Amino acid sequence: MAKVTVQELEANTNEDNIRMLLSDLKQRLDKIYEGGGKSKIDKQHEQGKLTARERVAYLLDSDLPNIEIGAFAGYNMFKEQGGCPSGGVVVMLGYIKKRQCLVVANDSTVKAGAWFPITAKKNLRAQEIAIENKLPIIYLVDSAGVFLPLQDEVFPDKEHFGRIFRNNAVMSSLGIPQIAAIMGSCVAGGAYLPIMSDEAMIVEKTGTIFLAGSYLVKAAVGEDIDNETLGGATTHCEISGVTDYKCKNDKACLDKIKFIVDKYGDFQKAGFNRSEPKIPKLNPKEIYSIIPKTRDKPYEVREIIKRLVDDSEFEEYKELYGKTIVCCYARIDGWAVGIVANQRAIVKSKKGEMQFGGVIYSDSADKAAQFIMNCNQKKIPLVFLQDVTGFMVGSRSEHGGIIKDGAKMVNAQANSVVPKFTIITGNSYGAGNYAMCGKAYDPRLIVAWPTARLAVMGGEQAAKTLLQIEVATQKAKEKEVSKEDQEQMLKTITDRYNEQMSPYYAAARLWVDAIIDPMDTRKWISMGIEMANHSPIDKKFNVGVIQT
């Protein structure tokens, strides 16, 4: 029997860990896909309606790929209100008659499709994607309106419910096609969304639109009227003219959308370079055995890149300089890309000093800033592989100008005009999150592998820091804290902090668009660049004023 080496044993351990994480991911998603539960789904079917996910599946081309945005929105949130799976809305990027589109479908099995705060945030994220990428957007409307117990968190602010209609108007002015299908309730302020779209259709007997339903009309003006007469399909297609098409059922409505989208003309393209796609020479599934189970262990990021890029080929930029960041040109599914990746292996600096993997040093920041500028000059989309613990600290780094070099990288990041895509493969801590294109720096799409962790600093350091603050606070109140109490406090703080570092915590709040299997990374990047190719770059890259 062949002897198993330490490296093989570690690789097997790593693979087992990721497969367990992926199994957990699937189980959580399966639960989310149930929406409001089987009884609510059965009730929707009894009404002759498809569920939100069934509508989206019927609408999209089944032989082409699709990706879901924000499946974990609201995950483990709003527990007092009974939860809000997927934010009560399904958002999918896919193809209708081979035309790439974004579909937004209210899930009426979740609180009758009512809008929670996370529902508004997710809808705005969908519209942001459509605006940035000049992407046609389809709304499948079936919602009871704002969830009244939380109306103060949904209604009045800039990034709340009303922003949806503002974005409808902006997209219309930009020539971005919008279609609305009223497939259930569409009430109050929500009634403006379909009418601010280019075309609106309504399903007979199940679709209704009105500013106020029959009960409120009775209370307000004393009029007795049923909802169908007040705002049903016949009313709005034959009397008010609010809607453009009357449809017999859900499938007829969705077929009409397909028919309309099929007639769209071609769009102006950004012109990103694409050649014939090639699969990686090295097996992408080997990524599972490369990513360490323990997140503080080093690994060679080039081995990850080789399993993501076409033909496993890339051309490295400044290979011998700034070694804790790898920058390279490659192709992903045929698209030309510039990759910026945190190197987690321990390396030697140009002066022969050992540098920690995952830490950004001055020379690495300088190199990455130059590479980002180069990709902007050449109109090459950027892909960031984040596994970063932050910038290097200490007197040597401070005297060497780490803040200045870090600012240079962040400046180039902030002013970049080419589309950017961020994959959080491991740690995403502190200012490293910003420099490597975290959510605040406008990636077109940002996703996390199940191995990701997001926080201002690592869990152990943060917990000890928070403990010191808590102990000092108690002492200031002349309270002694025993060693046992400190240990319990540290455990409580650590558990809470670790929960907040989880990719599920981030995805629930839409800090990332999805948690994905590493095997889906190429699909997300490819569909993302195709999406971005709808939108020509109309801004000139300029880093502004920065100290050198």
Side-chain angles (χ1 to χ4, degrees):
M1 183 181 291
K3 186 177 181 181
V4 178
T5 66
V6 173
Q7 291 79 6
E8 288 172 331
L9 187 61
E10 187 170 294
N12 290 338
T13 300
N14 294 341
E15 181 173 351
D16 288 345
N17 176 60
I18 288 197
R19 290 195 181 279
M20 287 180 64
L21 292 174
L22 291 173
S23 176
D24 179 51
L25 172 63
K26 182 181 183 302
Q27 290 177 31
R28 296 185 196 222
L29 284 172
D30 287 344
K31 182 64 176 175
I32 285 171
Y33 294 159
E34 294 176 1
K38 187 178 183 304
S39 63
K40 297 290 180 63
I41 292 172
D42 290 343
K43 184 178 179 181
Q44 187 140 334
H45 287 162
E46 289 168 8
Q47 295 171 345
K49 297 163 64 175
L50 301 174
T51 66
R53 292 188 180 278
E54 288 168 345
R55 288 166 177 167
V56 174
Y58 184 85
L59 183 60
L60 295 179
D61 296 345
S62 59
D63 59 338
L64 293 174
N66 58 68
I67 54 180
E68 183 171 356
I69 310 293
F72 281 100
Y75 184 70
N76 279 341
M77 298 170 65
F78 311 107
K79 292 180 180 179
E80 291 183 5
Q81 293 78 26
C84 187
S86 217
V89 62
V90 178
V91 176
M92 200 81 72
L93 175 66
Y95 300 84
I96 301 173
K97 294 295 184 179
K98 296 184 171 59
R99 168 59 66 93
Q100 199 176 45
C101 297
L102 201 64
V103 181
V104 180
N106 297 117
D107 186 351
S108 63
T109 69
V110 179
K111 295 289 189 294
W115 286 57
F116 280 63
I118 197 67
T119 315
K121 187 173 183 178
K122 185 170 174 178
N123 275 267
L124 289 171
R125 174 60 178 148
Q127 289 186 320
E128 178 185 44
I129 291 171
I131 291 170
E132 282 183 326
N133 300 287
K134 306 294 192 293
L135 200 64
I137 186 167
I138 315 296
Y139 307 100
L140 307 182
V141 185
D142 193 350
S143 171
V146 169
F147 185 67
L148 291 178
L150 297 176
Q151 63 84 27
D152 61 318
E153 299 178 48
V154 184
F155 169 65
D157 209 349
K158 179 180 178 180
E159 298 299 330
H160 284 177
F161 191 72
R163 188 78 171 182
I164 303 290
F165 317 130
R166 175 264 186 194
N167 287 348
N168 289 141
V170 168
M171 283 189 278
S172 183
S173 72
L174 293 172
I176 299 171
Q178 300 175 82
I179 296 176
I182 297 90
M183 311 181 80
S185 297
C186 184
V187 301
Y192 288 102
L193 183 146
I195 314 312
M196 296 189 73
S197 300
D198 302 318
E199 293 180 278
M201 54 198 68
I202 186 169
V203 178
E204 290 185 81
K205 299 181 181 178
T206 57
T208 54
I209 317 173
F210 33 63
L211 294 180
S214 57
Y215 292 120
L216 186 54
V217 167
K218 174 68 174 176
V221 299
E223 181 182 2
D224 281 309
I225 191 169
D226 63 87
N227 284 339
E228 181 65 23
T229 306
L230 181 66
T234 299
T235 296
H236 287 307
C237 287
E238 299 181 22
I239 300 173
S240 72
V242 165
T243 51
D244 307 306
Y245 308 96
K246 182 162 65 170
C247 308
K248 288 186 177 181
N249 52 45
D250 279 11
K251 287 187 177 180
C253 183
L254 299 169
D255 285 336
K256 197 170 289 291
I257 294 173
K258 294 180 186 182
F259 186 87
I260 293 170
V261 172
D262 191 41
K263 309 302 179 293
Y264 284 171
D266 202 2
F267 50 84
Q268 191 178 359
K269 295 180 177 65
F272 302 123
N273 184 301
R274 192 179 197 187
S275 62
E276 186 69 26
K278 297 179 181 178
I279 62 172
K281 279 184 179 177
L282 299 180
N283 186 356
K285 288 188 176 180
E286 291 172 353
I287 289 173
Y288 294 164
S289 61
I290 295 171
I291 296 289
K293 178 179 180 180
T294 306
R295 297 304 305 122
D296 57 356
K297 280 192 174 182
Y299 65 91
E300 174 55 69
V301 77
R302 292 178 183 86
E303 295 302 317
I304 301 292
I305 295 172
K306 289 175 185 177
R307 288 159 177 82
L308 290 177
V309 301
D310 289 13
D311 223 19
S312 299
E313 290 183 347
F314 60 88
E315 184 65 37
E316 192 163 346
Y317 173 80
K318 289 184 179 288
E319 179 182 358
L320 303 178
Y321 177 72
K323 294 182 181 180
T324 63
I325 288 182
V326 172
C327 300
C328 62
Y329 299 106
R331 290 188 183 274
I332 292 179
D333 200 35
W335 294 105
V337 296
I339 298 174
V340 181
N342 298 115
Q343 172 61 290
R344 285 305 308 267
I346 298 173
V347 299
K348 283 187 179 181
S349 72
K350 58 188 175 182
K351 297 178 181 179
E353 301 162 341
M354 301 306 293
Q355 294 184 336
F356 297 106
V359 179
I360 302 176
Y361 291 77
S362 287
D363 52 359
S364 300
D366 176 61
K367 177 174 81 171
Q370 291 182 52
F371 185 71
I372 291 169
M373 294 178 198
N374 283 348
C375 287
N376 275 271
Q377 182 77 6
K378 298 165 185 170
K379 202 162 74 170
I380 300 174
L382 283 158
V383 174
F384 294 86
L385 302 180
Q386 272 199 24
D387 192 351
V388 58
T389 53
F391 286 87
M392 190 59 190
V393 297
S395 60
R396 181 175 295 178
S397 293
E398 298 293 359
H399 296 169
I402 184 65
I403 296 176
K404 181 175 65 178
D405 289 317
K408 182 179 177 182
M409 182 178 176
V410 171
N411 190 300
Q413 185 70 269
N415 288 293
S416 178
V417 297
V418 297
K420 300 176 290 187
F421 303 90
T422 301
I423 318 296
I424 305 176
T425 65
N427 301 325
S428 180
Y429 295 159
N433 170 282
Y434 304 154
M436 290 294 294
C437 198
K439 187 68 180 289
Y441 288 80
D442 300 320
R444 298 294 176 97
L445 294 171
I446 176 170
V447 298
W449 289 357
T451 47
R453 295 289 182 272
L454 289 81
V456 72
M457 65 176 72
E460 185 178 350
Q461 305 95 307
K464 288 180 178 178
T465 301
L466 290 168
L467 176 63
Q468 290 172 9
I469 294 170
E470 181 63 27
V471 170
T473 301
Q474 295 300 324
K475 285 185 177 179
K477 296 177 181 178
E478 298 183 352
K479 294 181 180 179
E480 286 298 320
V481 182
S482 68
K483 183 179 179 181
E484 291 76 14
D485 287 343
Q486 288 190 37
E487 290 175 352
Q488 182 57 46
M489 288 166 62
L490 180 61
K491 182 181 184 305
T492 301
I493 292 169
T494 302
D495 290 346
R496 183 177 71 245
Y497 199 85
N498 284 339
E499 179 187 352
Q500 294 175 354
M501 290 170 64
S502 161
Y504 294 103
Y505 192 91
R509 290 153 182 79
L510 291 173
W511 301 343
V512 297
D513 292 316
I515 303 171
I516 67 167
D517 185 332
M519 295 305 100
D520 290 331
T521 304
R522 281 171 54 85
K523 178 176 74 171
W524 274 79
I525 294 170
S526 178
M527 288 187 69
I529 298 175
E530 181 183 351
M531 172 182 77
N533 204 34
H534 287 80
S535 181
I537 298 172
D538 55 7
K539 294 180 181 179
K540 185 177 180 181
F541 177 69
N542 188 334
V543 294
V545 178
I546 187 167
Q547 295 183 33
T548 58

